[in-house]
Amino acid sequence: MIPEPSRSIGNADLIDRRVLVVDDDPTVTEVVSEYLRSAGFVVDHVADGFAAIEAEARIGPDLIVLDRMLPGIDGIEACRRIRTTSATPIILLTALGSEDERIKGLEAGADDYLTKPFSPRELVLRVQSILRRSMTEFAPESPLDRGPFHIDPSARVATMDGRHLNLTVREFDLLSFLVKHPRQAFSREELLSAVWGWTYGDLSTVTVHVRRLREKIEPDPTQPTLLTTVWGIGYRMDLPEGARESS
């Protein structure tokens, strides 16, 4: 019997948001779907990688819970293909707990991951956290212009020298935080707390997202001049001194 999920984990502002669950294990699918529905989400389900790509384009979910091991094409490849056309947040579920496997998922474009076995309540909380960050009503800050960047938190839009940046939820949050704090070095632990809201977690999550962000803002990501590494500390956004700021 599936435990009755507590409605206290729900969030009124997230009611009726649509989550696509992609898993070929009926038990996992049933438990995850019941917890998500109890928290107020509308849940759709498919069982293979090709169906996930088709459903994402057809349904337009607000978030995807995607299993790593799937028939057809696996979750990593499905994530990579979805990312070519969509910034829909993706949480990857994986029974492969090695760091290399987690990094593969993040590099493919996943915003977050959970290692099986996992707590369904934790999954619901992760879903809520990501969706809150992606919703305009939770981003009331005024637009910010600094250096080459224009950041509009309400519209969840970022441009660089007038060019639209196609960013995932976490990439947008990371860029916004660093642009708001130029020339200030942050450790990976500090970024994990400030951007992800986690007091603990796998620090490779930060490393991979920095790498992905560099690929979108640096002329040569292998020799970054904006999002630089501060050896022994972490990372820093090196905007020019006196860079224009307005809001």
Side-chain angles (χ1 to χ4, degrees):
M1 176 180 294
I2 299 172
E4 178 64 26
S6 169
R7 293 188 177 274
S8 64
I9 63 177
N11 192 308
D13 297 290
L14 300 178
I15 295 298
D16 294 333
R17 297 283 170 167
R18 187 174 292 272
V19 178
L20 174 64
V21 176
V22 187
D23 201 306
D24 63 332
D25 184 325
T27 301
V28 172
T29 299
E30 182 181 6
V31 172
V32 167
S33 297
E34 285 298 319
Y35 270 82
L36 289 168
R37 290 191 181 104
S38 179
F41 295 105
V42 176
V43 180
D44 299 285
H45 166 248
V46 295
D48 67 74
F50 287 116
I53 297 169
E54 186 276 333
E56 193 283 328
R58 173 173 51 85
I59 298 171
D62 295 292
L63 184 141
I64 302 172
V65 176
L66 180 64
D67 189 36
R68 167 68 170 85
M69 305 298 290
L70 293 169
I73 58 173
D74 67 15
I76 298 290
E77 182 59 24
C79 182
R80 186 175 292 112
R81 295 189 189 188
I82 289 170
R83 273 291 167 262
T84 63
T85 59
S86 172
T88 301
I90 296 174
I91 297 178
L92 195 68
L93 306 180
T94 176
L96 305 174
S98 72
E99 182 178 9
D100 286 346
E101 285 297 326
R102 295 194 298 270
I103 288 175
K104 284 180 183 178
L106 293 168
E107 288 182 332
D111 296 274
D112 202 349
Y113 65 87
L114 280 175
T115 302
K116 294 181 177 179
F118 58 87
S119 161
R121 285 177 58 86
E122 181 180 0
L123 174 61
V124 171
L125 291 172
R126 295 281 186 100
V127 170
Q128 290 172 337
S129 173
I130 291 176
L131 286 178
R132 275 196 295 270
R133 287 179 175 270
S134 67
M135 291 167 58
T136 58
E137 54 263 46
F138 285 95
E141 301 100 326
S142 299
L144 172 69
D145 289 286
R146 181 168 281 169
F149 297 106
H150 172 79
I151 308 291
D152 187 341
S154 294
R156 302 289 295 182
V157 169
T159 62
M160 179 179 178
D161 293 324
R163 172 176 59 88
H164 175 73
L165 297 172
N166 186 23
L167 304 176
T168 67
V169 170
R170 297 299 194 190
E171 290 167 357
F172 181 91
D173 293 337
L174 179 60
L175 177 64
S176 297
F177 179 79
L178 291 171
V179 169
K180 290 175 184 175
H181 303 88
R183 299 176 297 281
Q184 182 174 344
F186 294 95
S187 68
R188 292 189 297 169
E189 291 88 350
E190 289 171 329
L191 291 173
L192 197 66
S193 175
V195 177
W196 277 259
W198 301 352
T199 55
Y200 66 92
D202 187 346
L203 297 180
S204 64
T205 299
V206 177
T207 305
V208 173
H209 277 79
V210 166
R211 186 184 311 153
R212 281 168 38 185
L213 186 56
R214 281 172 171 165
E215 291 172 354
K216 299 180 180 183
I217 68 172
E218 297 283 359
D220 181 358
T222 64
Q223 298 182 10
T225 58
L226 288 169
L227 209 179
T228 59
T229 298
V230 182
W231 297 109
I233 299 177
Y235 304 101
R236 181 180 64 218
M237 182 62 74
D238 280 340
L239 297 181
E241 290 286 348
R244 179 173 61 92
E245 176 186 356
S246 64
S247 60

